[in-house]
Amino acid sequence: MSRRIVFVRNTLAVMIAAVVGGSYVYFRGADLPSAQAATVNAPLVASNTAPAAPAGPVIAAATDFSGIVQRAGPAVVNISVTGKASKVADNDDDADPDDPFAQFFKRFGPQLQMPRQPRVMHGLGSGFIISPDGMILTNAHVVDGAQEVVVKLTDRREFKAKVLGVDKQSDIAVIRIDAKNLPTVQIGDPSKVKVGEPVLAIGSPYGFDNTATAGIVSAKSRSLPDDNYVPFLQTDVAVNPGNSGGPLFNLRGEVIGINSQIYSQTGGYQGLSFAIPIDVAMKVEQQLAQHGKVTRGRLGVSVQDLNQTLSESFGLKSAQGALVSSVEKGGPADKAGLQPGDVILSFNGHAIDHSVDLPTLVADTAPGTSQPLEVMRAGKVRTINVKVGEMKQAKNEAQANKAENQGRLGLAVRPLDKDEQKQLGGQNGLLVEDVNGPAAVAGIQSGDVILALNGTPVTSADQLRKLASQAGKSVALLVERGDEKIFVPLTLN
């Protein structure tokens, strides 16, 4: 998956999730075709004394997805990204032996020429074209933080893509390439998907473009840790790093989901993969394409699923609904009078079967609107009207200011102090504190000393920024690292 993004869950028991035991790894972003049963009837034998011959044996017949691959395959794209650099040791033997990608990057990672410099991480993912003018859907974790995104089509054409918007909460991103008359996928309806029906994934696992894998829908409306707004489709389709962002097709060749995560103890496919329903993705896409961000409603409650014991204790006939475990003080639910222990049975007329249904419905509701909640409290059902609030997007102002200060070079620097100047023989310069963008791609790393830009000695961050702003598309930085000085070329933002 893009940028080797993985995240470890030491426990999977969460408020808005089914309980799953053990310690596993979820990866954001074995070709075993599933079998579809077909009944073949044996010929009937007429007889006055014997009953009709029983039906013939059930024969497992492989589902033929070749037509879907031929028709929809050209609309599935390979996405390669250049991510932020990270420091690595000189000796590859120091790499984490538990890292499932350590040997892969040791063998196939970029070879940089400067010693102990950051390694620019290259990632792979998948996506699919939803409009002939180049609109593409993929996962947010595929392109989030990428400095360059390149899209490769099945006809081997390559385009630099622009990221129009990223929504981390749903893990959806919209990117665009400058092209016309492109093949597109057909969008399906995930609500009509049945557990057990065959499905097909197309993507670029480990960089193998346009790889098709098949399986069945294993479950619907799965909730995962920290993914409170997505009722995932669970499948047994083989999904591996590089499949992230690729489409999941039904037998009609319609996209019903975006392959997003796997559930694994080893880092590889183990029969559990999860896709974001396409209707969730398309709602996010519309907001990202129009506004560059996603607006969601919120209630300000934490909810959990009910089991038989809990449902009996709250006077329910079945374990359906969302049990309120906590209410945010001063939030919309608190103002409406909701209490811990309430069981929300419906929201705006929509029945709540599992707890994950509630945040999905609330998120799709326009903030500021008043909606009725059907609530079970103390054995009695009552209706409570709640004014839906707005989910605020977290903003990291310090990171934003930091990016702004790094400017065209992608450098955060400061002047050398007196002791540092003495160590460098009394010369002036700027100490690199953080690296991003063009500087990271060029191999600059924290601890380097910038002595000059295009031959002009630099002594302050403002001076460096001003020189970079007046430069053309590229500059040459004179860098001192240890006892060596070297000119490093940079292609600017």
Side-chain angles (χ1 to χ4, degrees):
M1 309 248 159
S2 169
R3 299 186 291 116
R4 303 172 57 204
I5 292 186
V6 300
F7 56 98
V8 180
R9 302 296 189 226
N10 290 325
T11 177
L12 301 183
V14 292
M15 301 304 295
I16 312 178
V19 177
V20 183
S23 177
Y24 295 87
V25 182
Y26 273 91
F27 284 82
R28 285 197 168 183
D31 191 359
L32 300 176
S34 66
Q36 184 179 30
T39 302
V40 180
N41 294 322
L44 296 179
V45 179
S47 173
N48 293 327
T49 57
V58 176
I59 300 175
T63 303
D64 185 359
F65 290 102
S66 60
I68 299 175
V69 175
Q70 183 177 8
R71 182 173 67 256
V76 182
V77 301
N78 170 280
I79 299 175
S80 60
V81 301
T82 301
K84 184 177 180 179
S86 60
K87 293 182 182 179
V88 294
D90 289 331
N91 188 352
D92 280 336
D93 293 334
D94 294 335
D96 182 0
D98 294 328
D99 184 353
F101 294 92
Q103 292 303 313
F104 179 84
F105 277 87
K106 180 177 179 180
R107 295 175 60 190
F108 302 109
Q111 302 298 314
L112 303 180
Q113 298 179 358
M114 296 178 67
R116 290 187 62 81
Q117 66 183 15
R119 174 172 290 171
V120 180
M121 303 310 297
H122 298 278
L124 294 173
S126 304
F128 51 97
I129 306 170
I130 59 174
S131 68
D133 60 353
M135 196 83 77
I136 296 170
L137 278 184
T138 186
N139 281 149
H141 74 263
V142 170
V143 299
D144 183 37
Q147 291 149 11
E148 184 179 73
V149 180
V150 176
V151 170
K152 184 168 68 173
L153 307 184
T154 55
D155 61 10
R156 301 183 183 179
R157 286 185 294 167
E158 295 186 7
F159 300 86
K160 285 189 177 181
K162 179 180 180 181
V163 179
L164 298 184
V166 172
D167 181 52
K168 293 183 180 180
Q169 287 181 305
S170 63
D171 196 23
I172 297 297
V174 181
I175 65 177
R176 191 165 198 164
I177 59 176
D178 186 12
K180 296 180 180 180
N181 301 319
L182 296 174
T184 62
V185 297
Q186 292 181 323
I187 303 300
D189 184 357
S191 67
K192 297 180 180 179
V193 173
K194 297 179 180 179
V195 174
E197 74 172 77
V199 284
L200 168 76
I202 303 179
S204 303
Y206 297 106
F208 294 105
D209 297 352
N210 237 232
T211 296
T213 53
I216 63 168
V217 175
S218 304
K220 298 174 63 176
S221 295
R222 290 294 197 204
S223 57
L224 300 179
D226 295 339
D227 288 294
N228 300 337
Y229 299 97
V230 179
F232 285 93
L233 296 171
Q234 179 187 330
T235 76
D236 68 349
V237 176
V239 171
N240 284 291
N243 273 113
S244 276
L248 182 72
F249 296 94
N250 60 19
L251 279 178
R252 291 179 293 279
E254 301 166 336
V255 176
I256 57 171
I258 300 179
N259 295 308
S260 177
Q261 303 184 38
I262 61 174
Y263 183 67
S264 175
Q265 292 174 295
T266 65
Y269 165 74
Q270 285 191 294
L272 292 167
S273 54
F274 299 89
I276 303 164
I278 193 62
D279 55 345
V280 173
M282 294 305 293
K283 292 175 184 176
V284 172
E285 182 272 333
Q286 291 175 3
Q287 293 197 54
L288 287 178
Q290 294 177 11
H291 310 293
K293 64 176 184 177
V294 178
T295 300
R296 289 186 173 89
R298 64 182 293 270
L299 290 182
V301 295
S302 294
V303 295
Q304 65 184 82
D305 269 336
L306 290 154
N307 56 26
Q308 181 175 340
T309 303
L310 284 173
S311 62
E312 290 175 353
S313 65
F314 285 102
L316 296 171
K317 296 180 180 179
S318 61
Q320 292 179 317
L323 174 61
V324 177
S325 56
S326 65
V327 179
E328 177 189 312
K329 187 176 181 179
D334 184 38
K335 293 178 180 179
L338 257 68
Q339 302 173 5
D342 287 345
V343 178
I344 301 175
L345 303 176
S346 70
F347 175 84
N348 192 26
H350 298 278
I352 305 298
D353 188 18
H354 300 282
S355 61
V356 70
D357 298 335
L358 179 65
T360 303
L361 290 169
V362 175
D364 288 340
T365 304
T369 60
S370 183
Q371 303 294 343
L373 289 174
E374 191 178 39
V375 175
M376 170 74 80
R377 179 185 296 172
K380 296 181 179 180
V381 177
R382 63 184 66 190
T383 299
I384 297 177
N385 290 315
V386 58
K387 186 176 181 180
V388 178
E390 181 178 351
M391 178 68 68
K392 300 296 182 182
Q393 299 293 329
K395 294 183 180 180
N396 190 334
E397 297 294 341
Q399 189 66 26
N401 292 336
K402 183 178 179 182
E404 182 180 353
N405 291 335
Q406 290 177 349
R408 298 183 70 194
L409 297 173
L411 287 172
V413 297
R414 65 166 176 83
L416 297 173
D417 60 31
K418 293 182 179 180
D419 291 336
E420 291 166 341
Q421 288 180 355
K422 289 180 180 179
Q423 293 175 7
L424 294 176
Q427 65 183 354
N428 291 318
L430 299 174
L431 182 68
V432 176
E433 292 187 318
D434 193 38
V435 187
N436 208 326
V441 175
I444 305 294
Q445 73 178 50
S446 299
D448 287 346
V449 177
I450 308 299
L451 302 177
L453 185 149
N454 287 348
T456 302
V458 292
T459 58
S460 71
D462 288 339
Q463 179 196 11
L464 181 64
R465 190 179 302 110
K466 183 177 180 180
L467 290 173
S469 66
Q470 297 172 347
K473 294 183 179 180
S474 61
V475 297
L477 291 180
L478 180 58
V479 177
E480 181 162 344
R481 178 180 299 162
D483 296 329
E484 297 182 353
K485 294 181 182 179
I486 185 172
F487 281 98
V488 179
L490 270 74
T491 302
L492 301 180
N493 286 327

